[in-house]
Amino acid sequence: MDHGDGEGRVVAAASLAAARRTLRAGVDKSRALGHALARAGPRLEEIQAALPALEAAVRPMRAPRAELAAAGPHIDRAVGPAAAVLKVFDAVHGLEPPLLAPGTAGDLPGYLAVLAQLEEAHRFLADNCGLAAQWLADIVEYLGDRDLADPRFLADLGVTLDELRTPPAGDLDGGLLAAALGILEAEFRRLLADHSAPLAMPQPGAAAGSAAPSRVPAAAVHKLTLILDRLVANGRQDRCMAAYIDARGGVVSASLRALGLDYLRDPSQDAQALGPALESWGRHLEFVVRRLLESERQLCAKVFGQHKGAASACFAEVAAQTRVLEFLRFGRAVADAKKDPIKLQRLLEVFDSLNKLRLDFNRLFGGKACAEIQSQTRDLVKLLIDGAVEIFEELIVQVELQRHMPPPVDGGVPRLVAFVVEYCNRLLGEQYRPVLGQVLTIHRSWRKEVFNDRMLVDAVVNIVNALEANFDVWSKAYDNATLSYLFMMNTHWHFFRHLKATKLGEVLGDVWLREHEQYKEYYLSMFIRESWGALSPLLNREGLILFSKGRATARDLVKQRLKTFNSSFDEMHCRQSSWVIPDKDLRERTCNLVVQTIVPTYRSYMQNYGPLVEQEGNASKYVRYTVDGLEKMLSALYMPRPRRAVSFQIKHSSGNIASAMTGLHRSASAVK
């Protein structure tokens, strides 16, 4: 083979090799494509199934150009508000960290500033979320009317937009505002709890009448006010009021527990026994009203600020926990107590306490929320006035009813006399006179009548005159005239001693008083003359001749006269040993007069004639007393014996007997 044929065969072999590679690559590509087609089959089926929905989604793209151009401005106007709402939503989410982080409420001004942003965003969303949804709903309706979108798609979109037009308040911010307000509530309660120490009653001698300063620092009050304003603005007024009432009511209750007010629950029906409790009642009521409630009223007004209705309601609830109604019910128990003269003073004490607090009551309990306190206070005041006037006007009748009661069997001062003197002096004293005058003036004004202080004085003088008229009636009730003298001496002296230098004594005058002193002197002289003065003549010296022939006769006369004297002395001493002279000075003077009437005569007689009988074996039968022994016996007469507390029985016009005691307790109540 020549050289040219060889080259041709080489070229042919190369061509065949290339052709084979090409065919092999084609076969490989065909095989790979087959595998790819096999794998793409299910995907193609999915695409085929989704074609209807895709067709509906792109259907507006196939709408006429003119209609699409007309829809553009409507869509732009609807999307603008929606975009603004979405922007605010994003801002709200940015407020979560400063509002919800622990301890952030400690910086109250900063916290409230962030909260204000949230509230503003909340108001924007509340005002615009529905509006944006309405705009979007309008565009959906527009697209549907012009068949520019699939009806099913538009229907689903319409349901969603309906929900957006009226969303729940919590959905606007995901509950962030509610959570922030809850944190503020907790801070509100904490501030109240941190300043919940009870108020202590001032010690005696302190300025109890002045109002207590606020026990909550001004900075804390300012914080409470700021918090409350935000909570009220967000519809949480009731929750704030409940928290405030709970906190301050607890403070008030703790303050009252320290006072020991158990006596308010079951007051006695006896006016005398009510004295000590009534004194505490007056002091406690003044403390509750002028300090405890006044400080609570001031705090309530400061915290609630312009929310006056809420402040009034809260204060009324707090005031209810001060047991003001229980205080009033105690006063009612005094008005309902058994009727006797002491009750008049109790009624005046209660009225005086309430009257001193009248302006405070009007200021503290003037609102509708305190209507029950107002009503019960008015009713109590009327009961007090009516009851006091009734008892006062009956006093003279009660004194006259005692006129026919038996006088004291021991000749002492009748309990009625001791009581009325003390009682009338008290009525005209500084404590009761102005109060009684005011009560009588008010009562007469209800009847369109006039009353003045002179009429009060005249009424008291008439009572004293009626009592004085009883003296003669009582003195005539004694069977023993001597005892009658002793009684009149005691009674007139009691009048003089216990009315001199008193208000009532000033009213009655010096002439009137001196008359009673003179009566005392008159009846004292009558008493001595008609009793002990009759004994001295029994020791007369008539017929006593001591010379030798008459000595025996004289001895017999001395014996007889000593025997008669002893018998009369024993009888008189025995009888008068049960008689009394209550006044120490008058008793000592009377005893001295008795001693002067008897002892000098007896001493002289025994010195002169005693030896006639003393030498005999039976001398003690006649000489029974030594001079010193006789003097001691006479000096020990008329001592008062222990008696029950001075009281007397009063028979009222109803015929019932009521006991009235003279243990007149002075009320120290300085309540308004």
Side-chain angles (χ1 to χ4, degrees):
M1 181 184 297
D2 58 11
H3 181 71
D5 292 336
E7 291 181 350
R9 285 196 296 273
V10 173
V11 171
S15 297
L16 288 172
R20 186 179 66 178
R21 288 194 297 273
T22 301
L23 287 173
R24 182 174 294 173
V27 171
D28 291 338
K29 289 181 179 179
S30 296
R31 185 180 292 115
L33 181 58
H35 289 308
L37 289 173
R39 290 194 304 271
R43 179 61 180 161
L44 290 174
E45 291 177 0
E46 292 177 5
I47 294 173
Q48 185 177 6
L51 283 176
L54 293 173
E55 180 184 8
V58 301
R59 187 173 181 182
M61 301 298 294
R62 296 185 292 140
R65 182 180 295 276
E67 293 184 9
L68 289 175
H74 293 285
I75 295 173
D76 292 340
R77 284 194 297 272
V79 171
V85 168
L86 291 174
K87 186 176 181 180
V88 173
F89 269 120
D90 291 338
V92 166
H93 290 305
L95 297 178
E96 289 185 8
L99 288 176
L100 301 183
T104 52
D107 177 19
L108 187 60
Y111 191 87
L112 293 177
V114 178
L115 180 63
Q117 298 177 37
L118 177 59
E119 290 177 331
E120 184 178 358
H122 203 275
R123 286 191 296 270
F124 179 86
L125 293 176
D127 294 341
N128 294 282
C129 189
L131 182 61
Q134 182 62 51
W135 279 69
L136 293 174
D138 290 344
I139 208 61
V140 168
E141 183 179 358
Y142 177 87
L143 295 174
D145 291 345
R146 287 157 179 75
D147 198 26
L148 298 179
D150 181 67
R152 290 175 298 174
F153 172 76
L154 293 178
D156 292 340
L157 187 58
V159 172
T160 302
L161 292 175
D162 285 340
E163 295 176 356
L164 291 176
R165 271 183 285 189
T166 56
D171 290 347
L172 292 175
D173 59 359
L176 180 58
L177 179 60
L181 294 176
I183 291 175
L184 277 186
E185 276 189 33
E187 180 68 7
F188 187 76
R189 291 178 181 273
R190 185 193 68 78
L191 286 170
L192 289 172
D194 286 350
H195 304 284
S196 59
L199 178 63
M201 186 169 177
Q203 294 297 320
S210 58
S214 175
R215 289 164 287 143
V216 181
V221 172
H222 181 63
K223 288 182 178 180
L224 288 168
T225 301
L226 293 176
I227 293 174
L228 186 135
D229 286 342
R230 297 311 335 128
L231 293 174
V232 171
N234 286 278
R236 298 203 175 195
Q237 176 172 298
D238 291 344
R239 297 167 68 106
C240 290
M241 292 173 61
Y244 186 89
I245 292 168
D246 181 63
R248 300 313 302 176
V251 173
V252 165
S253 297
S255 301
L256 293 180
R257 280 194 296 272
L259 299 181
L261 301 179
D262 292 342
Y263 66 87
L264 293 178
R265 297 195 185 101
D266 187 23
S268 171
Q269 285 297 302
D270 180 75
Q272 177 73 15
L274 280 169
L278 187 56
E279 183 175 351
S280 297
W281 177 86
R283 291 186 293 104
H284 290 160
L285 181 60
E286 180 187 18
F287 166 73
V288 168
V289 172
R290 285 190 169 169
R291 297 186 67 84
L292 187 58
L293 276 180
E294 180 60 30
S295 65
E296 289 299 328
R297 183 193 69 83
Q298 293 177 9
L299 178 62
C300 199
K302 291 175 182 176
V303 170
F304 282 87
Q306 299 302 314
H307 311 288
K308 298 188 181 300
S312 297
C314 278
F315 176 74
E317 290 294 331
V318 173
Q321 298 188 51
T322 61
R323 301 168 67 179
V324 171
L325 290 176
E326 285 190 46
F327 276 95
L328 295 177
R329 282 192 287 271
F330 181 89
R332 178 67 180 259
V334 176
D336 292 338
K338 296 176 183 178
K339 188 166 134 184
D340 62 40
I342 289 295
K343 181 180 175 181
L344 172 58
Q345 296 179 354
R346 300 291 172 258
L347 296 175
L348 294 178
E349 289 164 9
V350 175
F351 174 83
D352 187 41
S353 295
L354 292 176
N355 189 53
K356 289 177 179 177
L357 291 171
R358 178 171 51 85
L359 296 179
D360 301 272
F361 264 69
N362 291 341
R363 183 179 65 258
L364 295 172
F365 310 123
K368 293 181 179 179
C370 298
E372 185 177 2
I373 294 177
Q374 298 170 27
S375 175
Q376 291 204 23
T377 303
R378 285 194 299 269
D379 292 345
L380 174 57
V381 169
K382 188 174 188 309
L383 278 175
L384 296 171
I385 292 175
D386 287 340
V389 171
E390 180 183 5
I391 293 174
F392 180 72
E393 292 180 345
E394 280 189 359
L395 285 176
I396 190 170
V397 177
Q398 295 169 351
V399 169
E400 291 171 347
L401 287 172
Q402 294 290 303
R403 188 164 296 166
H404 302 291
M405 298 292 288
V409 295
D410 56 9
V413 179
R415 292 170 178 172
L416 177 66
V417 174
F419 178 85
V420 171
V421 168
E422 174 74 8
Y423 192 79
C424 289
N425 261 323
R426 284 189 174 273
L427 291 184
L428 291 183
E430 294 180 358
Q431 180 182 0
Y432 294 109
R433 180 171 179 170
V435 183
L436 179 58
Q438 186 175 9
V439 165
L440 292 168
T441 301
I442 294 173
H443 191 267
R444 292 292 179 88
S445 70
W446 292 345
R447 300 187 302 196
K448 308 300 181 184
E449 298 176 2
V450 177
F451 191 86
N452 55 48
D453 187 68
R454 183 67 249 176
M455 298 170 70
L456 169 60
V457 172
D458 290 344
V460 174
V461 170
N462 288 338
I463 294 171
V464 175
N465 289 335
L467 177 63
E468 190 178 11
N470 291 358
F471 293 176
D472 287 337
V473 177
W474 286 332
S475 68
K476 293 175 182 177
Y478 288 105
D479 295 332
N480 187 304
T482 306
L483 181 57
S484 172
Y485 298 147
L486 181 74
F487 163 78
M488 293 294 273
M489 176 187 73
N490 279 328
T491 304
H492 284 286
W493 180 244
H494 184 91
F495 249 38
F496 175 79
R497 283 293 300 270
H498 290 83
L499 290 176
K500 185 178 181 180
T502 66
K503 293 292 183 182
L504 181 56
E506 292 176 7
V507 170
L508 295 170
D510 290 338
V511 173
W512 188 92
L513 289 174
R514 281 196 300 272
E515 286 179 354
H516 285 280
E517 186 179 22
Q518 292 167 1
Y519 278 132
K520 180 265 296 182
E521 290 296 328
Y522 169 77
Y523 286 112
L524 174 58
S525 64
M526 291 292 291
F527 171 75
I528 296 296
R529 188 182 71 184
E530 298 296 325
S531 58
W532 300 104
L535 294 184
S536 294
L538 297 178
L539 298 176
N540 65 80
R541 307 185 182 211
E542 184 179 353
L544 296 178
I545 302 174
L546 298 181
F547 52 85
S548 58
K549 292 183 178 180
R551 194 172 186 84
T553 302
R555 182 183 299 109
D556 292 338
L557 286 175
V558 168
K559 290 181 178 179
Q560 181 62 37
R561 288 171 184 174
L562 282 174
K563 185 177 180 180
T564 302
F565 173 85
N566 290 337
S567 175
S568 298
F569 178 86
D570 288 345
E571 179 184 358
M572 188 170 298
H573 183 272
C574 179
R575 182 189 312 120
Q576 295 198 16
S577 291
S578 63
W579 297 356
V580 300
I581 301 177
D583 185 83
K584 180 181 178 182
D585 293 339
L586 181 59
R587 182 172 63 252
E588 291 179 353
R589 184 177 174 216
T590 302
C591 288
N592 287 335
L593 289 175
V594 172
V595 168
Q596 292 172 18
T597 301
I598 300 297
V599 172
T601 301
Y602 185 76
R603 178 185 295 109
S604 175
Y605 195 82
M606 293 304 297
Q607 286 175 349
N608 291 317
Y609 306 107
L612 292 176
V613 295
E614 289 173 349
Q615 297 174 358
E616 303 210 0
N618 60 350
S620 60
K621 180 179 178 180
Y622 305 103
V623 184
R624 297 181 57 183
Y625 304 105
T626 65
V627 174
D628 290 342
L630 193 70
E631 184 173 353
K632 288 180 180 179
M633 290 177 65
L634 294 175
S635 298
L637 285 171
Y638 315 120
M639 295 293 292
R641 287 167 295 281
R643 301 171 70 181
R644 293 183 296 109
V646 180
S647 66
F648 71 95
Q649 300 292 320
I650 290 183
K651 186 173 182 180
H652 295 282
S653 55
S654 62
N656 297 326
I657 300 295
S659 176
M661 310 296 291
T662 59
L664 309 178
H665 295 277
R666 182 183 184 277
S667 172
S669 57
V671 194
K672 164 80 174 78

